[in-house]
Amino acid sequence: MTTKNGRKELYSIFLIWLKIRVRSPISNWLSKAAFILGAMVVSTPLIEQLVFTAILKKIFGIDIGISVPDVKAYIAGSFLITAAMAHNLLFVKLNQQHAENQRNIKTSIYKEIWVLIDDMIDSTVRLTNLYCTEYKEADDSYATTCEDAIIKALEHARKNRPFYFSEDFYKMVTNLSTTCLSQAASFRECITMKKKDNHDYSFYLAQESINSEYRELILNYDKICDEIRSYISAI
């Protein structure tokens, strides 16, 4: 015995199948054929009555016996025309919905990766201001937050690599993540030196070295943004 959930599932599958059939080119072709047939049912006998009968009977005196279609013929033709027009509206609507759904699916991946990239950059840049400060437990927390953000971005890139619009985009994401990972490792070394209170370690030079990479980091970040924006505007 089919359960209520089972019936709902079957109904959902049927609706999906029906939408696919309606969106198919053959479905649209059949609706056009129905429209033409309906128009012919309504108009052809009337044209024959007005043209051929008028010419043959009035000029040549020949009566071919064609009569104006009755009400049933008009109803049948009008029904075919109306059904074809309704189908065409449904065909257009379903295809528009399908295209929009496909666009949302495609853009959702890039929304996700952009959020992860933005978090990664934000947490990485935060570290550049902590090189010359006294050690605090928050340093370890900031470093961990940065490393977690980098890992999430890399995992997303790896798992969604086949769905990115190009291999170059994947490499841009991974290269940026690698740069951030290198900066996180440098800050981990800085934390170690802070804890040791090592005066031979130049915290200022370490910060200057990291800051020198900041411009390229942001430049690559903006390039990824432009790539995503260009792709989304094209679909």
Side-chain angles (χ1 to χ4, degrees), residues 75-133:
I75 293 175
S78 299
F79 174 78
L80 286 173
I81 293 172
T82 303
M85 292 177 65
H87 174 275
N88 185 254
L89 290 174
L90 184 61
F91 175 83
V92 172
K93 180 180 179 180
L94 289 179
N95 274 285
Q96 287 178 339
Q97 287 179 344
H98 178 72
E100 184 64 24
N101 289 337
Q102 290 297 306
R103 186 177 188 276
N104 290 336
I105 291 171
K106 291 178 180 179
T107 57
S108 64
I109 295 176
Y110 299 98
K111 288 179 181 178
E112 291 171 4
I113 189 59
W114 179 250
V115 170
L116 295 175
I117 289 172
D118 187 67
D119 289 343
M120 178 179 69
I121 290 295
D122 183 62
S123 58
T124 301
V125 171
R126 185 188 296 119
L127 302 181
T128 62
N129 301 316
L130 302 174
Y131 276 80
C132 297
T133 61

Side-chain angles (χ1 to χ4, degrees), residues 34-35 37-42 69-84:
F35 182 87
L37 180 61
M40 290 177 64
V41 168
V42 173
D70 58 14
V71 175
K72 291 182 179 180
Y74 281 116
I75 293 175
S78 299
F79 174 78
L80 286 173
I81 293 172
T82 303

Side-chain angles (χ1 to χ4, degrees), residues 129-143 187-188 190-192 194-195:
N129 301 316
L130 302 174
Y131 276 80
C132 297
T133 61
E134 294 291 332
Y135 171 75
K136 296 178 181 178
E137 290 184 0
D139 289 350
D140 287 303
S141 177
Y142 287 136
F187 186 67
R188 279 293 185 187
C190 176
I191 290 176
T192 300
K194 283 184 179 183
K195 290 178 178 179

Side-chain angles (χ1 to χ4, degrees), residues 73-229:
Y74 281 116
I75 293 175
S78 299
F79 174 78
L80 286 173
I81 293 172
T82 303
M85 292 177 65
H87 174 275
N88 185 254
L89 290 174
L90 184 61
F91 175 83
V92 172
K93 180 180 179 180
L94 289 179
N95 274 285
Q96 287 178 339
Q97 287 179 344
H98 178 72
E100 184 64 24
N101 289 337
Q102 290 297 306
R103 186 177 188 276
N104 290 336
I105 291 171
K106 291 178 180 179
T107 57
S108 64
I109 295 176
Y110 299 98
K111 288 179 181 178
E112 291 171 4
I113 189 59
W114 179 250
V115 170
L116 295 175
I117 289 172
D118 187 67
D119 289 343
M120 178 179 69
I121 290 295
D122 183 62
S123 58
T124 301
V125 171
R126 185 188 296 119
L127 302 181
T128 62
N129 301 316
L130 302 174
Y131 276 80
C132 297
T133 61
E134 294 291 332
Y135 171 75
K136 296 178 181 178
E137 290 184 0
D139 289 350
D140 287 303
S141 177
Y142 287 136
T144 300
T145 299
C146 179
E147 291 162 349
D148 289 344
I150 296 168
I151 291 171
K152 288 179 181 179
L154 283 170
E155 284 183 347
H156 187 283
R158 187 183 73 254
K159 291 178 180 179
N160 292 279
R161 183 177 182 178
F163 309 106
Y164 290 155
F165 56 81
S166 72
E167 184 66 13
D168 288 338
F169 178 81
Y170 169 76
K171 290 178 180 178
M172 289 173 67
V173 175
T174 54
N175 288 340
L176 183 63
S177 301
T178 301
T179 301
C180 291
L181 194 60
S182 175
Q183 293 199 9
S186 296
F187 186 67
R188 279 293 185 187
E189 182 181 357
C190 176
I191 290 176
T192 300
M193 295 305 167
K194 283 184 179 183
K195 290 178 178 179
K196 291 181 178 179
D197 196 18
N198 190 336
H199 297 289
D200 294 330
Y201 181 83
S202 177
F203 295 96
Y204 176 77
L205 287 177
Q207 186 178 44
E208 284 295 305
S209 176
I210 290 298
N211 285 339
S212 65
E213 300 177 9
Y214 177 79
R215 185 175 182 277
E216 185 177 359
L217 190 74
I218 298 302
L219 186 64
N220 291 332
Y221 168 78
D222 289 338
K223 284 182 180 179
I224 291 175
C225 178
D226 291 337
E227 287 289 324
I228 294 175
R229 185 180 290 118

